[in-house]
Amino acid sequence: LLMSGTNPTKVIPIKWQVPIPSAPTPTWSLYRTNKTEIDWRYSQYGYGINSAPSGRMDGQNLTAFGITGGSADHPANLTTTAINNAAAVTTPFAINMARAWDANYTTVTLTVNISSMGNFTASGNLVCRVVLIENEIHFPVQPGTNGEKDFNWVVRRSYPDIQTGTPMLSTWTNGQTQQIVLTCVLPSYINDKSQVAFVAFIQDDGDRKVMQAAKSTTQPVANDAK
């Protein structure tokens, strides 16, 4: 559904590989390599997620956009109507990002420019969170026990971290701007550097609403031995 019709222009998906019903046993896994961040995001941030797969849109339960039923947050229940309802919500914020590899393709310098087109007051701490994702990951053998070998938009690490991100002012006025420059050293466990992209999203920690998001493009890696 996310990649059908006009939905790709309305949705920036990211996925956290939670240890539900149990964590993969290998030391290296999509969960264990980013365990601390994932554990905080799904169980300590306030989402109270206890089943998987489970979805949130703009930081909220899917019921906020018209999905009903006892398992409303299951991604299988997501509809184009709900996506349209979320896309229709206005925001005063705009995000633009630029990225650049270093000479050795080990670090990305990421510049995030945030601007406001209206007045806004957050209900809690306003934070810009930046995550590194891999657009596609394909395993020849399933890494877990559910048979899944192909993964998309998996969060691999956050910059500078997922818990505090980069603080923003709680009150904004029309024309106000903020620039964030991050030096993103890639973890050693990245599968394919050519699949690396970055997602920045502005989140109000008072009500967990995501006010805006943007995704960088992937960039090729020259002379990749892989």
Side-chain angles (χ1 to χ4, degrees):
L1 177 66
L2 294 180
M3 302 310 294
S4 65
T6 60
N7 288 337
T9 64
K10 303 173 185 175
V11 176
I12 298 175
I14 60 175
K15 296 185 179 182
W16 304 85
Q17 300 301 132
V18 297
I20 298 174
S22 60
T25 54
T27 302
W28 194 104
S29 69
L30 297 177
Y31 166 67
R32 293 191 184 277
T33 51
N34 198 24
K35 179 180 184 299
T36 300
E37 289 188 347
I38 293 172
D39 286 348
W40 181 84
R41 188 63 176 170
Y42 91 93
S43 66
Q44 299 173 40
Y45 182 60
Y47 285 131
I49 292 173
N50 54 23
S51 64
S54 183
R56 300 293 185 270
M57 193 154 56
D58 291 348
Q60 302 168 75
N61 295 87
L62 300 185
T63 52
F65 305 104
I67 302 298
T68 60
S71 58
D73 288 328
H74 195 293
N77 294 322
L78 187 62
T79 65
T80 295
T81 297
I83 293 174
N84 289 338
N85 290 341
V89 177
T90 60
T91 176
F93 293 106
I95 303 175
N96 291 292
M97 288 195 294
R99 54 168 290 183
W101 282 113
D102 68 342
N104 298 318
Y105 299 99
T106 60
T107 303
V108 172
T109 299
L110 188 69
T111 303
V112 182
N113 290 304
I114 300 170
S115 58
S116 173
M117 299 164 288
N119 299 329
F120 176 80
T121 299
S123 63
N125 293 329
L126 195 64
V127 177
C128 178
R129 293 189 162 96
V130 175
V131 297
L132 179 159
I133 65 171
E134 285 190 78
N135 277 354
E136 296 183 16
I137 301 174
H138 304 287
F139 293 101
V141 178
Q142 66 176 34
T145 58
N146 65 356
E148 190 173 2
K149 297 188 293 184
D150 302 301
F151 301 82
N152 296 93
W153 314 300
V154 177
V155 175
R156 307 309 312 279
R157 185 180 171 179
S158 306
Y159 298 92
D161 57 54
I162 191 61
Q163 291 88 342
T164 57
T166 299
M168 299 172 58
L169 293 176
S170 294
T171 300
W172 283 66
T173 58
N174 185 30
Q176 191 171 337
T177 63
Q178 180 176 354
Q179 184 178 82
I180 302 166
V181 180
L182 298 170
T183 301
C184 306
V185 179
L186 266 63
S188 60
Y189 51 76
I190 294 299
N191 290 274
D192 187 344
K193 293 180 180 180
S194 69
Q195 290 295 319
V196 164
F198 295 85
V199 174
F201 57 96
I202 298 171
Q203 188 160 34
D204 185 339
D205 281 349
D207 54 19
R208 296 190 290 275
K209 291 182 179 179
V210 172
M211 305 306 301
Q212 185 59 282
K215 180 184 175 184
S216 77
T217 59
T218 57
Q219 289 185 356
V221 179
N223 300 321
D224 185 2
K226 181 177 179 181

